[in-house]
Amino acid sequence: MQVYEAPLRDMRFVLHELHGLDTLRELDAFAEIDADLADSVLEEAGRFSSEVLLPLNATGDLEGCHAENGVVRTPAGFKDAYRQFREGGWPSLASEPDYGGQGLPESISKLVEEMTCGANLSFSLYPGLTHGAVQALKAHGSEELKTLYLPKMVEGTWTGSMCLTESHCGTDLGLMRTRAVPNEDGSFRITGNKIFISAGEHDLAENIVHLVLAKLPDGPPGVKGISLFLVPKFLPDAEGNPGQRNGVLCTGIEHKMGLKGSATCQMSFDDATGWLVGQPHKGMAAMFTMMNEERLGVGIQGLGVGSAAYQAAVFYAKDRLQGRSLSGVKRPDLPADPIIVHPDVRRTLLTMRANVEGCRALGIWVAQAVDLSKHAKDPAARQNADDFVALMTPVVKALFTDLGFESASHAIQIYGGHGYIREHGVEQYARDARIAMLYEGTNGIQALDLVGRKMPSNMGRLLRSFFHPVAEWIEQNRGHASIAPLVGHLERAFGALQLATGTIGERGLRDPEEAGAAATDYLRLMGLVAMGFMLAKSAAIAAERVGENADETGFYQAKLQTVQFFFDRILPQTASLFLAIKSGKASTMALAEAAF
Amino acid sequence: MQVYEAPLRDMRFVLHELHGLDTLRELDAFAEIDADLADSVLEEAGRFSSEVLLPLNATGDLEGCHAENGVVRTPAGFKDAYRQFREGGWPSLASEPDYGGQGLPESISKLVEEMTCGANLSFSLYPGLTHGAVQALKAHGSEELKTLYLPKMVEGTWTGSMCLTESHCGTDLGLMRTRAVPNEDGSFRITGNKIFISAGEHDLAENIVHLVLAKLPDGPPGVKGISLFLVPKFLPDAEGNPGQRNGVLCTGIEHKMGLKGSATCQMSFDDATGWLVGQPHKGMAAMFTMMNEERLGVGIQGLGVGSAAYQAAVFYAKDRLQGRSLSGVKRPDLPADPIIVHPDVRRTLLTMRANVEGCRALGIWVAQAVDLSKHAKDPAARQNADDFVALMTPVVKALFTDLGFESASHAIQIYGGHGYIREHGVEQYARDARIAMLYEGTNGIQALDLVGRKMPSNMGRLLRSFFHPVAEWIEQNRGHASIAPLVGHLERAFGALQLATGTIGERGLRDPEEAGAAATDYLRLMGLVAMGFMLAKSAAIAAERVGENADETGFYQAKLQTVQFFFDRILPQTASLFLAIKSGKASTMALAEAAF
């Protein structure tokens, strides 16, 4: 059963109690944000997700998108839902006020994204890419382009797309074939074919603004010869309204494992008119502004679907009667006990729950750092926040999406054979969640980004933005009255992470393949330690407040128990990961290509 | 790309070099089996899988099955493929000769099953259930039933089904509602509704023989009141040919995540005529003859799909050009290197490969024990083999299917975004493989079977059938000239398994929930140790033969490298599993039901 309800209590915990809005409220940009405003935004977003988006999730999967003669029709109900989404002001939530945005912090916006993704991942792709496109355009576009496009994009009347991939190149964009030729008026003619373009064409918005990577005639070979262009579906007329149709066409949509309500388009650019965004040949840098934004967003997709899958699994585990508790009949009034009495069912549910709560806490930490990196008054604080975001972006993207898919698969398992049947709705979560491990850079690419770029960057300065607060907190809490054992566990796991970092750093200097062979295990190790840190901090808060207020005791008790489960049953994975990393690259690289 | 080719060289290694046919050839039943016969069967099965079954895999997924008015049509080509399958004598391969079987060992038959499942999992379900039905009928049916049904079933002219599940009961069959009322002629009238009946109705065979669980009027409540009945689709006439239609009807088929070429039927029994199989109220025991057989078969399904997914991933990793090797350009003639040069891609491929090879070696060990349990001359040897099969059945079922699904997901990852697109064929492997973790008892149920039934059975006697050979081999090979380090790793992992066994055994005696909370981690721990044992033994053989023959050096070298990878990167998971088990049930059981 798809039963998504936004987990508002835990979201408030993460926002107010764990991270706190105070740090942000000291910044000019967020001086007006208070807890009540944040809570009412979350509450309203929760209602919208459950009432408007959730009912279209399964129907959208069943119906899919339709493409004919370049026109793409989204599933029944999506158009009306998007209209409500836009009218409700949701697209502009975290955009800065200069182009009409509401200027809310990323931390609130990411919680709202979690809800949207939890209720309807396919739907989330339509507004989802616009936000990143807005960021890229703001950072790199000319004033003229910004004035013309940003207000419409911020309000969601026009949506964005990100056109990178071609059939023969995804990760390796240096192989790109799409070309841009200058016109005399300063615009360019773009020609080429792109694939896997989410929301490249649809019927939800009056215009679509494509950000397209292409090569200029004088561009050097490889990724250093790539530039970024803005190519609208309709060329704006003198009043800035959609005018003449541009030379860009959707030639087909993909038939995918899931995410069927989201149109994944093949796009053909045929002398399409475009405008340069940023400097010539510096398209990769401009695109990465958008890409990094999207990578955090994709992590949140994993979290959202994981949370929805957890809720579906809990619903069924309380409802399904099968067998009797090993510690004696629990429901003599029923022919059997609900399966939630069984230890292995609880273990599965708690695994999902602990991972969801750990990811949420970590994700909002990073989101808060995004805001600090832009708005902190102290340049050192901005730099530190920026370092942290850069370091954690690949971790959030890969860890959250791996765990989101795992949670969806766990939900299927809780349903038994019924989980495999379409009408129960949980197999859709697995099919939908699977994409998030692939797009915006596969999770393997995230791991390489972590060990190859982020870890060695500035002599390890990025690492310190994470290691220092962890070390400091451990130091302060080693003798904690109620959670000292958790702190001890965290310290051991953190020790393993530090050792692994040293090992990879040292070996990787000599031989980059050593870092490559360790990358995925290292990312997971860092992710588990980061979740462990967030959850241990959460436990410290919960331990303090558990007795304060009878209404809230249940929540804090549950938090403590969930954290304990994470430390007992999930964090120990760090031990194996450390051993695997330590073994080095030899056995990964030995087998001859022909022998595979 | 779906490119399945039976991995004959590794299959021959496992059959002849690792386990050897000699033990079986000492038995009267298999005196005639020699290596040439085995190899030619495997080769022919490989050809059949690649040429006949593989081409129908993707088309069957796309088309699915069709049900109308009780008639089920399989996807185009399945009917002809099944005819060829039957004419080729494949259904009767491992059936004993008394009813027309070819009497080949299970070890050969299971390798053939691996190929069938690797080429076309959906197809494998049609003949797959017949073999188990034959076993149940042979063991528990009356002479009259056996004479009438077995020859047709063994030759595959008639197929079997297994009708257990009802919508409200799967694991907990005590809740069953289907009823059987005695007729005066010794037959029974069966009435009730069953769901999830694989091959319950189809167009491949002239008759379908349902083995149906139902309650007799005088049956005690719960599972002790369940009896097993044979209910044919068509009642045989005086000549034993399909005659009058029986009161059993397919009322619909399920829309599933995958396995779409296999008809999963809702069956309605309406005063259908059936015959008792075995004793009244002893249906569960009779059904378990079939179920245990099926559970091993389901494990082999995971192995087959995992192997196919590995091959698909290797094909793509050698073909897809993207980026350059970290150790310098490998293919200057091409615009980029094939992605198999990248350490993280190799890590992924080797994970799949090592798991496939480990499962194959373990699966055939168990299959050989099935034969010994039936045919060994010495009763103690029969008992020991039977113990081993009983112990390992849940491990094979759960471990192989978990890893099969993981492999399929890894294959998607190797394909990047293309893996998510239907036409590449690998997302189908994930959708298909997912069912195997659920049916014939979810993997959680397998784990409970292991810790709750098998582990304590006969004061741990079943465990000894596995622990003794492992301990003995470690003892003999501790100082092995070339693989001593592997033996040391295995010894540590085995030590963790023994400690975990003691911990669970001791705590579980006091409190069965302790065993339940540890079950899944324990099953994986035992599975990893069993794979590690098989792979270490394989390495010992490979180390001896690697220099013997130039043509074979590549194979043995690859075996050694694959085993090393398993010990470096996969076996260390035992460390984490041990820690998780040791933590006990407390944090699994603490959270109140309402707090989930």
Side-chain angles (χ1 to χ4, degrees):
Chain A
M1 280 283 293
Q2 298 186 340
V3 289
Y4 185 74
E5 262 186 65
L8 292 174
R9 181 63 190 93
D10 197 60
M11 289 179 163
R12 287 199 305 269
F13 174 82
V14 167
L15 197 62
H16 302 308
E17 302 175 68
L18 178 61
H19 298 302
L21 283 173
D22 291 347
T23 325
L24 294 180
R25 290 176 58 200
E26 288 167 14
L27 313 180
D28 296 340
F30 305 118
E32 313 282 300
I33 309 297
D34 66 13
D36 285 351
L37 173 66
D39 290 353
S40 62
V41 168
L42 294 181
E43 213 164 291
E44 197 45 51
R47 197 161 23 240
F48 187 81
S49 298
S50 295
E51 290 174 9
V52 180
L53 299 181
L54 178 66
L56 302 176
N57 193 40
T59 56
D61 177 59
L62 193 56
E63 185 190 338
C65 293
H66 311 270
E68 211 173 348
N69 301 325
V71 176
V72 171
R73 193 156 46 76
T74 55
F78 272 47
K79 202 168 171 172
D80 186 52
Y82 187 76
R83 182 188 54 73
Q84 292 182 57
F85 185 82
R86 190 169 42 72
E87 288 173 4
W90 297 111
S92 63
L93 209 60
S95 295
E96 286 149 64
D98 41 2
Y99 295 97
Q102 300 174 58
L104 260 64
E106 273 297 324
S107 47
I108 296 176
S109 172
K110 284 284 175 282
L111 289 172
V112 172
E113 277 182 42
E114 182 194 324
M115 300 180 201
T116 310
C117 297
N120 194 325
L121 187 64
S122 282
F123 179 88
S124 79
L125 270 280
Y126 296 103
L129 286 147
T130 309
H131 191 55
V134 165
Q135 299 299 320
L137 205 48
K138 272 188 75 163
H140 304 283
S142 68
E143 276 312 312
E144 206 181 333
L145 287 179
K146 287 199 263 196
T147 310
L148 188 54
Y149 288 92
L150 282 177
K152 299 277 195 182
M153 292 173 77
V154 166
E155 73 186 22
T157 317
W158 298 359
T159 61
S161 96
M162 178 154 108
C163 301
L164 288 80
T165 305
E166 302 179 7
S167 63
H168 61 289
C169 73
T171 301
D172 186 356
L173 292 171
L175 305 173
M176 185 166 293
R177 292 185 191 136
T178 298
R179 302 283 151 183
V181 179
N183 293 322
E184 297 197 345
D185 65 356
S187 68
F188 293 81
R189 296 191 305 282
I190 317 285
T191 300
N193 294 297
K194 297 285 183 178
I195 62 166
F196 297 168
I197 310 308
S198 295
E201 180 58 58
H202 56 79
D203 56 359
L204 303 183
E206 63 173 46
N207 203 0
I208 301 173
V209 182
H210 305 287
L211 291 185
V212 185
L213 288 182
K215 290 195 161 183
L216 286 167
D218 59 343
V223 290
K224 288 175 183 151
I226 293 176
S227 307
L228 182 64
F229 299 89
L230 181 156
V231 181
K233 175 179 171 184
F234 294 104
L235 297 165
D237 64 17
E239 283 75 44
N241 293 316
Q244 197 193 327
R245 180 71 198 243
N246 201 355
V248 46
L249 190 75
C250 171
T251 52
I253 57 174
E254 303 291 351
H255 299 100
K256 310 187 298 291
M257 183 183 192
L259 208 74
K260 292 176 194 271
S262 164
T264 305
C265 301
Q266 296 143 19
M267 302 298 295
S268 168
F269 295 84
D270 186 10
D271 272 345
T273 304
W275 288 270
L276 188 65
V277 176
Q279 299 301 307
H281 320 318
K282 302 285 184 199
M284 290 299 286
M287 184 53 90
F288 261 99
T289 306
M290 181 164 183
M291 180 71 97
N292 281 327
E293 182 86 21
E294 296 302 336
R295 284 179 175 178
L296 287 178
V298 173
I300 300 299
Q301 294 179 2
L303 169 59
V305 180
S307 176
Y310 168 70
Q311 292 186 36
V314 167
F315 172 87
Y316 194 75
K318 289 179 177 178
D319 186 62
R320 174 78 170 172
L321 309 176
Q322 208 78 177
R324 288 296 186 185
S325 163
L326 293 167
S327 59
V329 173
K330 292 287 174 291
R331 293 294 301 272
D333 54 319
L334 296 174
D337 287 333
I339 61 172
I340 199 167
V341 304
H342 302 307
D344 194 61
V345 169
R346 298 175 69 90
R347 179 195 59 81
T348 308
L349 294 175
L350 279 160
T351 301
M352 301 163 78
R353 180 186 178 95
N355 283 335
V356 164
E357 292 187 10
C359 288
R360 182 177 297 128
L362 175 58
I364 300 312
W365 188 19
V366 179
Q368 206 176 60
V370 170
D371 287 323
L372 289 170
S373 74
K374 291 177 187 163
H375 301 290
K377 290 167 190 167
D378 173 15
R382 281 206 300 278
Q383 181 65 61
N384 187 58
D386 195 62
D387 287 354
F388 181 68
V389 173
L391 180 72
M392 280 294 164
T393 295
V395 177
V396 167
K397 195 280 181 181
L399 176 75
F400 290 20
T401 61
D402 278 357
L403 295 180
F405 179 65
E406 275 180 39
S407 282
S409 184
H410 285 319
I412 294 176
Q413 205 64 20
I414 293 294
Y415 277 68
H418 296 273
Y420 200 64
I421 307 299
R422 199 175 57 200
E423 66 181 298
H424 288 283
V426 289
E427 59 88 31
Q428 183 192 345
Y429 289 133
R431 287 187 292 101
D432 284 357
R434 189 62 186 79
I435 186 60
M437 297 159 69
L438 299 165
Y439 59 16
E440 312 301 348
T442 64
N443 287 0
I445 291 296
Q446 306 301 320
L448 288 183
D449 180 45
L450 178 64
V451 299
R453 289 205 195 95
K454 305 302 170 61
M455 190 198 275
S457 166
N458 288 286
M459 308 284 289
R461 196 187 69 206
L462 276 55
L463 284 171
R464 289 194 289 278
S465 70
F466 171 55
F467 285 4
H468 280 183
V470 178
E472 196 181 347
W473 189 87
I474 290 173
E475 195 57 41
Q476 286 162 358
N477 291 278
R478 207 176 268 127
H480 193 285
S482 40
I483 63 149
L486 296 184
V487 181
H489 279 203
L490 180 64
E491 187 166 14
R492 279 194 294 283
F494 182 51
L497 174 62
Q498 288 173 301
L499 268 176
T501 306
T503 304
I504 295 172
E506 186 234 323
R507 289 182 189 162
L509 271 182
R510 286 199 317 266
D511 179 355
E513 286 184 342
E514 283 285 354
T520 288
D521 284 341
Y522 180 76
L523 184 147
R524 178 60 69 100
L525 175 56
M526 184 180 283
L528 287 169
V529 170
M531 285 206 289
F533 176 47
M534 289 291 101
L535 291 174
K537 278 185 88 164
S538 302
I541 296 164
E544 204 176 300
R545 301 188 183 165
V546 68
E548 277 177 9
N549 172 339
D551 288 351
E552 291 280 64
T553 296
F555 173 79
Y556 293 117
Q557 194 70 51
K559 179 63 78 181
L560 286 166
Q561 289 163 338
T562 304
V563 174
Q564 187 64 50
F565 180 87
F566 181 87
F567 274 76
D568 281 355
R569 305 295 298 252
I570 299 175
L571 193 66
Q573 289 165 16
T574 51
S576 305
L577 292 165
F578 176 71
L579 291 171
I581 291 167
K582 213 179 62 170
S583 72
K585 79 163 199 178
S587 55
T588 300
M589 302 310 293
L591 193 66
E593 184 181 320
F596 272 91
Chain B
M1 280 282 293
Q2 297 186 340
V3 289
Y4 185 74
E5 263 187 64
L8 292 173
R9 180 63 189 90
D10 197 60
M11 289 180 162
R12 287 199 306 268
F13 174 81
V14 167
L15 196 62
H16 302 309
E17 302 175 69
L18 178 61
H19 298 302
L21 283 174
D22 291 349
T23 326
L24 294 180
R25 290 177 58 202
E26 287 166 14
L27 313 179
D28 296 341
F30 305 119
E32 313 281 299
I33 309 296
D34 65 14
D36 286 351
L37 173 66
D39 291 352
S40 62
V41 168
L42 294 182
E43 213 164 294
E44 196 47 50
R47 196 161 21 239
F48 188 81
S49 299
S50 296
E51 291 175 8
V52 179
L53 300 181
L54 178 66
L56 302 176
N57 193 40
T59 56
D61 177 61
L62 193 57
E63 184 190 339
C65 294
H66 311 270
E68 212 173 348
N69 301 323
V71 176
V72 172
R73 193 157 45 77
T74 55
F78 272 47
K79 202 167 169 173
D80 186 53
Y82 186 77
R83 181 188 54 73
Q84 292 182 56
F85 186 82
R86 190 169 43 71
E87 288 174 4
W90 298 110
S92 62
L93 209 61
S95 295
E96 286 150 64
D98 40 3
Y99 293 96
Q102 297 174 60
L104 260 66
E106 273 298 322
S107 47
I108 297 176
S109 172
K110 282 286 174 279
L111 289 172
V112 172
E113 276 181 44
E114 181 193 324
M115 299 180 201
T116 310
C117 296
N120 194 324
L121 187 63
S122 283
F123 180 88
S124 79
L125 270 280
Y126 295 103
L129 286 147
T130 309
H131 191 54
V134 165
Q135 300 298 319
L137 205 49
K138 272 188 75 164
H140 305 283
S142 67
E143 276 314 312
E144 207 179 331
L145 287 179
K146 288 199 262 195
T147 310
L148 188 54
Y149 288 92
L150 281 178
K152 299 276 196 184
M153 292 173 76
V154 166
E155 73 186 21
T157 316
W158 298 359
T159 61
S161 95
M162 178 154 107
C163 301
L164 288 79
T165 305
E166 302 178 7
S167 63
H168 62 289
C169 72
T171 301
D172 187 354
L173 293 171
L175 304 173
M176 185 166 292
R177 292 185 192 137
T178 299
R179 301 282 152 184
V181 180
N183 292 323
E184 296 197 346
D185 65 354
S187 68
F188 293 81
R189 296 192 305 283
I190 318 287
T191 300
N193 295 296
K194 298 285 183 178
I195 64 165
F196 297 168
I197 310 307
S198 295
E201 180 57 57
H202 56 78
D203 56 359
L204 304 182
E206 63 174 44
N207 203 359
I208 300 173
V209 182
H210 306 288
L211 291 185
V212 185
L213 288 182
K215 290 195 163 184
L216 286 167
D218 58 343
V223 292
K224 288 177 182 151
I226 294 177
S227 307
L228 184 64
F229 299 88
L230 181 155
V231 182
K233 175 179 171 183
F234 294 104
L235 298 164
D237 63 17
E239 284 77 44
N241 294 317
Q244 199 192 326
R245 181 73 196 241
N246 201 354
V248 46
L249 191 74
C250 171
T251 52
I253 59 174
E254 304 290 351
H255 300 101
K256 309 187 299 290
M257 183 183 192
L259 208 76
K260 291 176 194 269
S262 163
T264 305
C265 301
Q266 296 144 18
M267 303 297 296
S268 168
F269 296 83
D270 185 9
D271 272 346
T273 304
W275 289 269
L276 189 66
V277 177
Q279 299 301 306
H281 319 317
K282 302 285 184 201
M284 290 299 285
M287 184 53 90
F288 261 98
T289 306
M290 181 166 182
M291 180 69 98
N292 280 328
E293 182 87 20
E294 295 303 336
R295 284 178 173 177
L296 287 178
V298 172
I300 299 300
Q301 294 177 3
L303 169 58
V305 180
S307 176
Y310 168 71
Q311 292 185 37
V314 167
F315 172 85
Y316 194 74
K318 290 180 177 177
D319 186 62
R320 174 77 170 174
L321 308 177
Q322 208 79 176
R324 288 296 186 185
S325 164
L326 292 168
S327 59
V329 174
K330 292 287 173 294
R331 292 294 302 272
D333 55 320
L334 296 174
D337 287 333
I339 61 173
I340 199 167
V341 303
H342 302 308
D344 194 60
V345 169
R346 298 176 68 92
R347 180 195 59 81
T348 309
L349 294 175
L350 279 160
T351 301
M352 301 163 78
R353 179 187 177 96
N355 283 334
V356 164
E357 292 187 10
C359 288
R360 182 177 297 128
L362 175 57
I364 301 311
W365 188 20
V366 179
Q368 205 176 62
V370 170
D371 287 323
L372 290 170
S373 74
K374 291 178 188 164
H375 301 290
K377 289 166 189 163
D378 174 16
R382 280 205 302 278
Q383 183 64 60
N384 187 59
D386 196 61
D387 286 353
F388 182 69
V389 173
L391 179 72
M392 280 294 162
T393 294
V395 177
V396 166
K397 197 279 182 183
L399 176 76
F400 290 20
T401 60
D402 279 355
L403 295 180
F405 180 64
E406 275 180 40
S407 282
S409 184
H410 285 318
I412 294 176
Q413 205 63 18
I414 293 293
Y415 277 68
H418 296 274
Y420 200 64
I421 308 298
R422 198 175 58 201
E423 66 181 297
H424 287 284
V426 288
E427 60 87 33
Q428 183 191 346
Y429 289 133
R431 288 187 291 103
D432 284 358
R434 189 63 186 79
I435 185 60
M437 296 158 69
L438 299 165
Y439 59 17
E440 312 302 349
T442 65
N443 287 0
I445 292 295
Q446 305 302 320
L448 288 183
D449 180 45
L450 178 64
V451 300
R453 290 206 194 92
K454 304 303 170 58
M455 190 199 274
S457 166
N458 289 285
M459 309 282 289
R461 195 187 71 205
L462 275 55
L463 284 170
R464 290 194 288 278
S465 70
F466 170 55
F467 285 4
H468 280 183
V470 177
E472 196 181 346
W473 189 86
I474 290 173
E475 194 57 43
Q476 286 163 357
N477 290 279
R478 208 175 268 126
H480 193 284
S482 37
I483 63 149
L486 296 185
V487 181
H489 279 202
L490 180 64
E491 187 166 15
R492 278 193 295 284
F494 182 52
L497 174 64
Q498 288 173 300
L499 269 176
T501 306
T503 304
I504 296 172
E506 186 234 324
R507 291 183 188 160
L509 271 183
R510 286 199 315 268
D511 178 355
E513 285 184 343
E514 283 285 356
T520 288
D521 284 342
Y522 180 76
L523 185 146
R524 178 60 70 98
L525 175 57
M526 184 180 281
L528 287 170
V529 170
M531 285 206 289
F533 176 47
M534 288 291 101
L535 290 174
K537 278 185 87 163
S538 301
I541 296 165
E544 203 177 300
R545 299 189 185 166
V546 67
E548 276 178 7
N549 172 340
D551 287 352
E552 291 280 63
T553 296
F555 173 78
Y556 293 116
Q557 193 70 50
K559 179 63 79 180
L560 286 166
Q561 290 162 338
T562 304
V563 174
Q564 187 65 48
F565 180 88
F566 181 87
F567 275 75
D568 281 354
R569 305 295 297 254
I570 299 174
L571 193 66
Q573 289 165 17
T574 50
S576 305
L577 293 165
F578 176 70
L579 291 171
I581 291 166
K582 212 178 62 170
S583 73
K585 80 163 196 177
S587 56
T588 301
M589 302 310 294
L591 193 66
E593 184 180 321
F596 272 92

